[in-house]
Amino acid sequence: MAKVLVMYKKPKSAEAFDKHYAAVHIPLAKKIPGLKKYDISRGGVGTPAGPSDIHLVATLHFDSLDALKAGMASPEGRAAGGDLANFADGGADLYLFDTKEV
């Protein structure tokens, strides 16, 4: 399974971020072709040393890295990516990777 891990840094307004994310961004992202599962963190995101600068973590699951790349390159994937500028004013780091069970 391949995944996209999105780590959203703390925004200027957590309330505005959460509202836009729930009402606009999630519906956009759920339209990405090939998306099999989509989950987000709940509550604060910490580290072993304590709090972090991360507001929310999202993980998008695809069958393969090829499916992930195709989904992200689709019009729906580009729309979701383009929406980041509308709410992620703290910044976001995206990581794309393939996984295997061990």
Side-chain angles (χ1 to χ4, degrees), residues 75-98:
E76 296 87 351
R78 289 193 308 275
D83 185 48
L84 294 177
N86 297 324
F87 69 96
D89 57 18
D93 294 324
L94 282 79
Y95 301 93
L96 289 66
F97 56 94
D98 207 356

